[in-house]
């Protein structure tokens, strides 16, 4: 099944957090599950903070990309369009808040859940949690905005 | 010159964001510069968000580790101790706020600056900015707390 991020156009799919075309990075993949969005991620051993625990920067990155992916999916849904149809929705982060409510153990698969709090014009606010097993370890909020034209990749010049 | 993070004890120096002993990661290195702390970081090409711009998750990670490093350094300073003396100060992040005030160009070296806003018991709050050239692109705040005992690595058992 294609994730939300798998359906970003090629020229918008290089993100370190979730881009399928990034040579490194986390390759986070988010999906709708009813009214929520979900992503699963198993950190690598080098994603450590202190021995046995996941690094807060990596967790922030997962929250970030799950938030912007959920925002894009919500924008398509609000328009009654399938994800990946044109013109593309692609969101960037205006602000990110991450509360580390308890240490996140390094080892188990983590489950991210996103919930759209509001859609207003080009801005979507998404609440994201990260859980290890039954325990929520991180609570975040992403204010995502539609990618401004100034960040849009230049089209390939096809003129002679 | 040794950075703040270079002086973390070996068993606390594996952080993905700033650990000198991490096989991957960002290896961020922070230093005092008078009353502020500074770190310089040149993102790799794969640290991209959209083409030409630095990924927000990577920026959050830099803010995070510069904040916790500054917090540790501030705790030593508040006690009139040299960084790296025992017992070690090592801070983890309770919460992180990152405002992306403008897109961060991918290419130039970035300058992070930290400023201690408050020290209260085991909690240090640090304001962090990221600048590309003369332009501040990110404003963040890190609430850092002294590593709880529950996260402290177990000492190697030297008993017979």
């Amino acid at each position: 099944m294609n994730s939300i991020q798998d359906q970003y156009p090629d020229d918008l799919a290089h993100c370190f957090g979730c881009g399928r075309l990034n040579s490194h990075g986390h390759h986070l993949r988010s999906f709708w599950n009813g009214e929520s969005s979900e992503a699963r991620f198993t950190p690598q051993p080098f994603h450590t903070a202190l021995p046995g625990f996941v690094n807060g920067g990596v967790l922030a990155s997962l929250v970030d990309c799950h938030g912007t992916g959920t925002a894009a999916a919500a924008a398509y849904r609000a328009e009654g369009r399938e994800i990946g149809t044109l013109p593309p929705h692609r969101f960037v982060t205006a602000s990110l808040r991450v509360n580390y409510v308890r240490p996140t153990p390094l080892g188990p698969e983590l489950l991210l859940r996103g919930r759209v709090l509001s859609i207003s014009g080009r801005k979507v606010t998404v609440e994201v949690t990260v859980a290890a097993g039954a325990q929520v370890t991180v609570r975040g909020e992403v204010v995502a905005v539609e990618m401004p034209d100034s960040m849009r990749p230049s089209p390939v010049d096809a003129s002679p």
Side-chain angles (χ1 to χ4, degrees), chain A:
Chain A
M1 186 166 66
N2 278 343
S3 71
I4 296 168
Q5 294 91 350
D6 286 336
Q7 298 171 77
Y8 290 163
D10 283 357
D11 59 351
L12 303 178
H14 290 83
C15 174
F16 183 73
C18 64
R20 68 181 182 281
L21 301 180
N22 195 299
S23 59
H24 296 62
H26 306 320
H27 298 119
L28 188 75
R29 301 175 73 232
S30 306
F31 302 87
W32 279 128
N33 183 356
E35 290 303 302
S36 299
S37 59
E38 289 186 355
R40 291 169 191 277
F41 184 82
T42 302
Q44 299 290 315
F46 56 78
H47 288 144
T48 189
L50 300 165
F53 300 100
V54 182
N55 171 248
V58 171
L59 292 165
S61 189
L62 300 178
V63 168
D64 181 25
C65 282
H66 191 59
T68 51
T70 301
Y76 281 111
R77 183 178 272 190
E79 294 174 352
R81 285 206 281 139
E82 291 294 315
I83 297 172
T85 57
L86 297 174
H89 280 298
R90 183 72 166 85
F91 281 70
V92 297
T93 309
S95 69
L96 178 65
R97 186 178 55 69
V98 187
N99 292 332
Y100 301 91
V101 294
R102 55 176 61 82
T104 301
L106 180 63
E109 179 183 80
L110 305 177
L111 175 62
L112 289 97
R113 281 189 205 275
R115 190 166 68 90
V116 176
L117 299 181
S118 67
I119 303 185
S120 168
R122 297 168 61 90
K123 186 169 94 172
V124 180
T125 303
V126 183
E127 177 190 74
V128 179
T129 59
V130 182
Q135 286 223 304
V136 169
T137 62
V138 171
R139 295 185 184 280
E141 189 176 294
V142 178
V143 177
V145 293
E146 190 86 54
M147 175 179 63
D149 286 343
S150 60
M151 294 183 79
R152 199 169 286 274
S154 307
V156 175
D157 185 354
S159 61

